[in-house]
Amino acid sequence: MPRATVITVSDSGARGEREDVSGPEACRLLREAGFDVAAPLLVPDDREAIAAALREAAGSSTLVVTTGGTGLAARDVTPEATLDVL
């Protein structure tokens, strides 16, 4: 069974100020699709932290899914951090 990891990128979620809803939902959908899913990760909108989480997840999963951190604010750097890893 392929393994997947979901990473949610959110400053307020990482600070515990907001519940992560998208990460657990993505995990649920991946399980329904036949993946063995690791516990979701929650990281702040920080390029280095996102890249580190991506690298770690890629070491143990065949699929890594990110959610959040893709808006128009200056701190929304998930695409840039993903490019750093790729």
Side-chain angles (χ1 to χ4, degrees):
M1 179 180 296
R3 185 162 177 81
T5 300
V6 176
I7 302 170
T8 299
V9 181
S10 169
D11 281 333
S12 58
R15 288 191 304 261
E17 297 171 354
R18 181 171 173 240
E19 179 185 3
D20 175 25
V21 178
S22 63
E25 179 64 9
C27 289
R28 183 188 69 76
L29 293 169
L30 288 165
R31 282 187 195 99
E32 285 182 5
F35 284 88
D36 172 31
V37 183
L41 303 174
L42 185 57
V43 297
D45 288 285
D46 174 80
R47 193 168 178 164
E48 290 80 24
I50 299 164
L54 287 167
R55 286 186 186 98
E56 182 178 335
S60 62
S61 296
T62 54
L63 175 67
V64 178
V65 176
T66 59
T67 179
T70 58
L72 300 175
R75 287 193 49 78
D76 295 326
V77 293
T78 300
E80 293 82 355
T82 302
L83 185 59
D84 291 345
V85 174
L86 297 176

